[in-house]
């Protein structure tokens, strides 16, 4: 039993069945290598082994924007609430927080920033193309 | 001055709230030391030798008087009544209290300021020419482009956890006053044969412990592609930059290890995927950002003959500290923060208030911070110059030494910084005292002397014509000296260059004498006054200078022999 955040809700997940069709990517992995296996997977997990290792952010965007992945994209590893806002912008919709991090409290962090200048998965057009003149 | 719109302000306010929460979680034990470290650094907060240090962002060095007064105020209220302008055009306060920092940031936010990404493994303050907008050799107004990059690089969701810090400089004039060749990315505005604006893109330059001159990876990038191209470079760096060793994590190592050609191919391949995508810039956005900058309401004036003003001392100041302006009847003025006895770049709160008054009365309420750690009043009427000079002199800000040996760039060094191997401020002062004769200084001519207290090179010693580096030898402070460095193409043909070490290091007390010997060698060898120290080093090489300092090769060998015998 593990607590995780999925689509901005805290859920309790039972242990996954061992044959679940899950792709797990490490930071150095190239998402292009799994691009043709994305159809029908239960989820893609991207590992963030350290607090400051930001490679997975690029992996998330590539999976969504370049390889068209629509299913669950889960960030696992050293995830704190301080990552959530940016991870969501990069296409992640599920998060296994590191031990000691309260997922209920962490929910507020999705709203740390209400806008972003840049184009991202959740805002495909950058702010300068969304401004009303 | 760029004026925030509602969204700019909201994001800064949201950052204050976020950091307040992070600080509270840390103090409550919910965030580890390591986690909080990464978070506080990206808010400019270091834990230093004696106290925390807060680095406040001054985007591209542009500052309004309202902001400067707020900085004075904050430095009195939360610190010790002074601040230090850094080579990244930022302001550092050396004595804040950790638990008060959220409050300081909240106060800064009221004047559209912050400490966002002034440290940590993130995009740092984008820097530019301190004469942007007023230089006679201007190609584009670099402030507009810097603001566009500032917005793109602020809270970038994909690039907020980079392998290492990332510094971008943009130069908008023909002369390079932004040192673009020694930045992670350097952008030099150019126009093509049709007059269209674009950028020459350099990558992989930098100082620090592995100084490297950047390489051009694109000769002409049309402006609409600026952000997609930056995004492509950053994606390659974010994915493949080394994260196993902090000393190899800068983009320059990636460029070097892959080789510029392969790196360029990777960037171009990535760019091909996102080129012409939604992040492609549009003319309306450039106009929108440009329109948010306030512009001086210049008068129609004629140029004055400043040489005809016979006030003793004024001419020397004009010669060094007054700079040409693109509008007739105006000039840019450097207020020197390099008075002997004051740490380079330091100003007191009272001086900040007085400088704000000066800028309000004489320069449309704005000023700039230069990467040489001085302040610039960019829009002074020539007819006001005598008055500005008198008032600046009263404030101790009129040292007429711009471009001269005593205009020393220096990091705070071992007096403050936890990383330093050696002090730098007392070395700067000792050199300034040794060279206190203004006529002699003018005779020596243009010379950049830069001092860093450790190999992280915050004092840019690699690109000083004379560079001094503090090193630690068995717990003692020693100083290694380099010559021949050059910050960039500040004049045609003078490319950026890294200094060469002249030999074994020196005790602190000997440094001024060594500098004097180097100068002596230069004065003997120069062809004319027009040939600068650095030109002579490049023409004749390091050896004659070495001989002057250490004696000739035979003497050196004999001494080496003696030293070995003693050891």
């Amino acid at each position: 039993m593990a607590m995780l955040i999925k689509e901005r809700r805290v859920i309790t997940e039972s242990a996954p069945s061992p044959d679940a069709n899950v792709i797990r990517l490490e930071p150095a992995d190239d998402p292009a290598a799994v691009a043709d296996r994305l159809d029908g997977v239960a989820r893609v997990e991207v590992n963030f082994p350290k607090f400051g290792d930001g490679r997975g952010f690029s992996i998330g965007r590539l999976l969504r924007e370049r390889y068209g992945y629509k299913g669950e994209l889960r960030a696992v590893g050293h995830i704190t609430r301080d990552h959530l806002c940016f991870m969501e912008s990069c296409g992640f919709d599920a998060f296994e927080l590191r031990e000691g991090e309260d997922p209920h409290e962490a929910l507020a962090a999705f709203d740390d920033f209400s806008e972003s200048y840049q184009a991202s998965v959740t805002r495909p057009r950058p702010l300068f193309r969304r401004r009303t003149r | 001055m760029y004026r925030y719109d509602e969204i700019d302000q909201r994001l800064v306010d949201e950052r204050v709230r976020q950091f307040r929460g992070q600080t509270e979680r840390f103090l409550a034990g919910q965030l580890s030391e390591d986690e909080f470290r990464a978070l506080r650094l990206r808010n400019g907060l270091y834990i230093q030798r004696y106290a925390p240090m807060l680095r406040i962002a001054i985007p591209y060095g542009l500052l309004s008087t309202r902001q400067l007064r707020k900085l004075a105020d904050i430095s009195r209220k939360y610190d010790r009544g002074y601040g230090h302008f850094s080579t990244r055009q930022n302001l550092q306060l050396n004595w804040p209290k950790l638990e008060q920092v959220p409050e300081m940031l909240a106060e800064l936010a009221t004047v559209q300021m912050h400490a966002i990404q002034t440290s940590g493994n993130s995009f740092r303050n984008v820097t530019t020419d301190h004469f942007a907008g007023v230089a006679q050799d201007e190609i584009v107004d670099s402030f507009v482009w810097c603001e566009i990059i500032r917005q793109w690089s602020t809270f970038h969701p994909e690039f907020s956890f980079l392998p290492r810090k990332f510094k971008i400089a943009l130069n908008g004039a023909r002369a390079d006053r932004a040192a673009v060749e020694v930045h992670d990315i350097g952008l030099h505005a150019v126009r093509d044969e049709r007059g269209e604006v674009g950028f020459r893109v350099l990558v992989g330059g930098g100082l620090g412990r592995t100084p490297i001159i950047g390489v051009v990876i694109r000769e002409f990038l049309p402006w609409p592609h600026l952000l997609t191209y930056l995004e492509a470079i950053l994606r390659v760096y974010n994915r493949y930059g080394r994260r196993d060793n902090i000393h190899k994590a800068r983009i320059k190592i990636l460029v070097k290890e892959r080789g510029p050609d392969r790196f360029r191919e990777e960037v171009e391949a990535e760019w091909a995927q996102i080129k012409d995508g939604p992040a492609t810039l549009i003319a309306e956005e450039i106009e929108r950002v440009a329109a948010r900058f306030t512009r001086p309401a210049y008068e129609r004036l004629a140029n004055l003959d400043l040489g005809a003003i016979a006030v003793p001392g004024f001419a020397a100041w004009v010669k060094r500290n007054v700079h040409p302006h693109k509008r007739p009847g105006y000039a840019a003025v450097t207020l020197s923060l390099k008075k002997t006895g004051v740490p380079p770049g330091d100003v007191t709160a009272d001086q900040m208030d007085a400088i704000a008054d000066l800028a309000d009365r004489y320069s449309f309420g704005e000023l700039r911070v230069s990467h040489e750690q001085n302040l610039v009043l960019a829009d002074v009427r020539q007819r006001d110059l005598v008055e500005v000079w008198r008032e600046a002199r009263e404030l101790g800000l009129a040292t007429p030494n711009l471009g001269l040996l005593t205009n020393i760039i220096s990091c705070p060094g071992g007096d403050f910084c936890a990383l330093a191997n050696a002090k730098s401020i007392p070395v700067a002062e000792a050199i300034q005292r040794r060279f206190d004769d203004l006529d002699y200084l003018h005779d020596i001519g243009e010379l950049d002397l830069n001092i860093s207290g450790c190999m992280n090179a915050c004092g840019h010693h690699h690109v000083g014509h004379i560079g001094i580096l503090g090193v630690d030898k068995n717990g003692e402070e020693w100083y290694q000296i380099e010559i021949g460095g050059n910050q960039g193409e500040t004049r045609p043909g003078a490319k950026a260059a890294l200094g060469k070490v002249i030999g074994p290091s020196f005790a602190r007390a000997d440094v001024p004498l060594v500098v004097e010997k180097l100068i002596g060698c230069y004065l003997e060898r120069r062809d004319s006054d027009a040939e600068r120290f650095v030109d002579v080093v490049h023409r004749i090489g390091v050896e004659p200078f070495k001989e002057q300092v250490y004696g000739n090769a035979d003497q050196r060998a004999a001494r080496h022999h003696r030293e070995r015998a003693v050891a």
Side-chain angles (χ1 to χ4, degrees):
Chain A
M1 299 276 275
M3 297 239 280
L4 79 149
I5 297 175
K6 210 164 162 175
E7 293 170 347
R8 292 198 178 197
R9 283 195 319 248
V10 179
I11 61 161
T12 308
E13 193 186 57
S14 49
S17 62
D19 59 345
N21 188 3
V22 173
I23 294 177
R24 182 183 165 102
L25 294 174
E26 295 300 323
D29 291 342
D30 187 352
V34 300
D36 57 359
R37 293 199 280 125
L38 294 171
D39 269 352
V41 296
R43 64 171 179 271
V44 177
E45 291 183 356
V46 178
N47 187 28
F48 292 78
K50 287 184 184 160
F51 182 87
D53 190 333
R55 287 174 285 182
F57 290 87
S58 291
I59 294 175
R61 275 192 85 177
L62 289 169
L63 284 170
R64 295 290 195 207
E65 293 175 346
R66 192 158 301 166
Y67 306 117
Y69 178 60
K70 300 275 194 290
E72 180 186 325
L73 183 56
R74 185 183 293 190
V76 303
H78 196 126
I79 315 291
T80 71
R81 60 179 285 171
D82 308 288
H83 295 103
L84 298 185
C85 198
F86 292 155
M87 281 181 176
E88 188 180 55
S89 295
C90 290
F92 291 89
D93 56 1
F95 309 88
E96 274 181 35
L97 300 183
R98 71 126 161 79
E99 207 156 311
E101 192 81 319
D102 182 337
H104 295 280
E105 283 183 22
L107 287 178
F110 286 108
D111 298 318
D112 274 359
F113 297 108
S114 57
E115 231 335 329
S116 86
Y117 291 113
Q118 308 80 4
S120 66
V121 175
T122 47
R123 296 183 181 92
R125 295 188 314 146
L127 179 61
F128 68 78
R129 286 183 187 266
R130 290 184 281 114
R131 285 179 193 275
T132 46
R133 262 170 267 276
Chain B
M1 195 67 215
Y2 177 78
R3 293 158 302 161
Y4 280 8
D5 71 1
E6 182 268 329
I7 293 173
D8 298 320
Q9 183 69 51
R10 200 199 317 155
L11 287 169
V12 168
D13 291 341
E14 286 173 347
R15 171 61 128 200
V16 173
R17 199 179 60 199
Q18 184 194 43
F19 187 64
R20 198 188 293 279
Q22 289 165 343
T23 306
E24 283 164 6
R25 281 159 60 218
F26 171 67
L27 293 172
Q30 293 163 7
L31 270 175
S32 73
E33 196 73 60
D34 266 3
E35 290 167 342
F36 185 60
R37 182 171 173 275
L39 296 171
R40 65 173 162 75
L41 284 177
R42 62 194 60 216
N43 282 284
L45 184 62
Y46 285 76
I47 303 299
Q48 285 289 29
R49 185 156 286 195
Y50 302 108
M53 182 270 278
L54 181 65
R55 182 181 294 147
I56 297 166
I58 300 174
Y60 33 91
L62 186 61
L63 198 56
S64 73
T65 52
R66 179 162 165 253
Q67 293 175 325
L68 185 58
R69 288 196 180 91
K70 176 56 89 177
L71 293 173
D73 198 37
I74 285 176
S75 74
R76 280 193 197 96
K77 200 160 148 193
Y78 300 98
D79 208 273
R80 296 192 180 172
Y82 71 93
H84 170 80
F85 286 106
S86 76
T87 49
R88 201 123 207 98
Q89 303 177 309
N90 290 319
L91 182 83
Q92 300 184 170
L93 297 178
N94 276 304
W95 310 94
K97 291 189 180 60
L98 171 66
E99 56 282 7
Q100 288 186 333
V101 170
E103 211 39 50
M104 297 168 81
L105 297 180
E107 288 213 29
L108 288 170
T110 65
V111 293
Q112 308 188 352
M113 293 190 88
H114 56 76
I116 293 164
Q117 295 171 198
T118 53
S119 182
N121 298 334
S122 52
F123 288 110
R124 302 297 184 84
N125 191 21
V126 51
T127 51
T128 192
D129 176 10
H130 43 278
F131 296 134
V134 306
Q136 290 180 336
D137 63 344
E138 176 172 291
I139 296 166
V140 298
D141 182 347
S142 58
F143 285 152
V144 173
W145 297 99
C146 285
E147 174 59 24
I148 285 167
I149 294 172
R150 181 192 77 82
Q151 295 187 10
W152 169 79
S153 63
T154 298
F155 308 140
H156 196 297
E158 185 179 346
F159 306 131
S160 282
F161 293 87
L162 293 170
R164 197 77 180 88
K165 58 184 163 186
F166 204 91
K167 298 177 178 179
I168 301 175
L170 186 147
N171 190 61
R174 267 186 284 284
D176 175 16
R177 286 176 290 263
V180 296
E181 291 174 273
V182 288
H183 277 79
D184 295 293
I185 292 178
L187 298 164
H188 198 131
V190 278
R191 283 183 191 275
D192 68 7
E193 61 283 357
R194 290 171 302 135
E196 290 293 318
V197 171
F199 298 92
R200 182 184 306 129
V201 183
L202 293 91
V203 68
L207 301 175
R209 69 178 66 205
T210 316
I212 298 180
I213 305 288
V215 293
V216 176
I217 61 163
R218 195 160 243 281
E219 276 296 343
F220 187 81
L221 177 72
W223 65 264
H225 303 302
L226 178 63
L227 298 185
T228 53
Y229 201 79
L230 291 179
E231 197 120 346
I233 296 174
L234 264 294
R235 185 168 281 166
V236 170
Y237 173 55
N238 191 46
R239 293 184 66 193
Y240 305 118
R242 286 180 62 174
R243 291 174 188 261
D244 59 323
N245 178 343
I246 185 175
H247 302 308
K248 305 216 177 279
R250 295 288 288 271
I251 195 172
K252 59 191 169 190
I253 305 294
L254 182 67
V255 175
K256 200 174 151 196
E257 288 184 350
R258 278 169 144 69
D261 290 334
R262 183 173 156 212
F263 183 81
R264 179 188 295 112
E265 280 164 27
E266 282 180 290
V267 169
E268 294 279 331
E270 179 57 40
W271 187 48
Q273 300 272 348
I274 55 178
K275 182 173 180 273
D276 299 318
T280 306
L281 279 166
I282 46 180
E284 293 94 309
E285 173 64 359
I286 315 304
E287 285 157 22
R288 188 192 70 84
V289 172
R292 296 206 67 82
F293 278 87
T294 55
R295 303 285 170 184
Y298 292 117
E299 297 167 45
R300 288 171 69 93
L301 299 169
N303 275 327
L304 301 182
D305 178 9
L306 298 175
I309 300 173
V311 181
F314 178 68
W317 181 75
V318 168
K319 185 173 174 195
R320 298 312 325 178
N321 295 32
V322 174
H323 319 280
H325 196 289
K326 68 179 181 186
R327 298 283 303 207
Y330 283 87
V333 165
T334 299
L335 299 175
S336 167
L337 304 183
K338 304 298 176 63
K339 187 183 170 177
T340 301
V342 179
D346 272 21
V347 274
T348 67
D350 291 347
Q351 280 177 317
M352 288 187 229
D353 281 336
I355 293 165
D357 287 346
L358 264 184
D360 272 342
R361 278 181 287 134
Y362 296 113
S363 197
F364 300 95
E366 280 184 18
L367 60 157
R368 291 102 182 272
V369 183
S370 78
H371 81 271
E372 293 180 347
Q373 302 175 290
N374 292 304
L375 295 176
V376 172
L377 302 177
D379 298 291
V380 179
R381 288 184 301 209
Q382 291 174 0
R383 68 162 187 257
D384 293 334
L385 283 171
V386 174
E387 213 27 62
V388 170
W389 168 65
R390 285 205 174 102
E391 292 192 38
R393 207 174 42 166
E394 288 291 304
L395 295 167
L397 304 169
T399 312
N401 65 351
L402 256 285
L404 302 181
L405 186 150
T406 54
N407 179 40
I408 296 172
I409 294 180
S410 171
C411 68
D415 289 296
F416 297 96
C417 178
L419 303 173
N421 288 325
K423 294 187 179 186
S424 24
I425 293 167
V427 180
E429 182 176 344
I431 294 168
Q432 286 168 331
R433 292 204 185 282
R434 168 87 55 155
F435 291 90
D436 63 348
D437 179 339
L438 202 56
D439 291 333
Y440 185 45
L441 271 181
H442 279 269
D443 185 37
I444 296 167
E446 286 189 15
L447 197 151
D448 294 343
L449 192 151
N450 300 353
I451 307 175
S452 303
C454 76
M455 72 265 273
N456 290 311
C458 297
H460 297 180
H461 65 278
H462 298 298
V463 290
H465 301 168
I466 297 177
I468 300 175
L469 166 66
V471 291
D472 174 274
K473 273 201 207 168
N474 306 320
E476 281 179 53
E477 298 182 348
W478 288 77
Y479 296 86
Q480 198 176 68
I481 295 186
E482 299 178 7
I483 59 174
N486 191 33
Q487 63 168 291
E489 202 166 358
T490 51
R491 52 172 66 194
K495 288 280 180 198
L498 302 170
K500 291 197 175 73
V501 177
I502 60 169
S505 49
F506 304 93
R508 190 197 298 169
D510 295 333
V511 172
L513 180 65
V514 174
V515 173
E516 203 164 82
K517 285 181 176 170
L518 292 171
I519 299 301
C521 179
Y522 155 66
L523 291 174
E524 276 170 29
R525 306 274 188 143
R526 73 177 172 190
D527 285 347
S528 73
D529 312 2
E531 196 183 29
R532 301 171 304 164
F533 176 88
V534 67
D535 303 328
V536 173
V537 177
H538 291 164
R539 176 167 61 82
I540 67 175
V542 171
E543 203 53 38
F545 290 89
K546 253 186 193 169
E547 268 180 36
Q548 185 95 10
V549 172
Y550 296 101
N552 66 30
D554 294 343
Q555 289 166 331
R556 275 210 304 278
R559 196 178 57 191
H560 183 65
H561 196 71
R562 273 203 309 282
E563 279 168 4
R564 285 186 53 164
V566 172

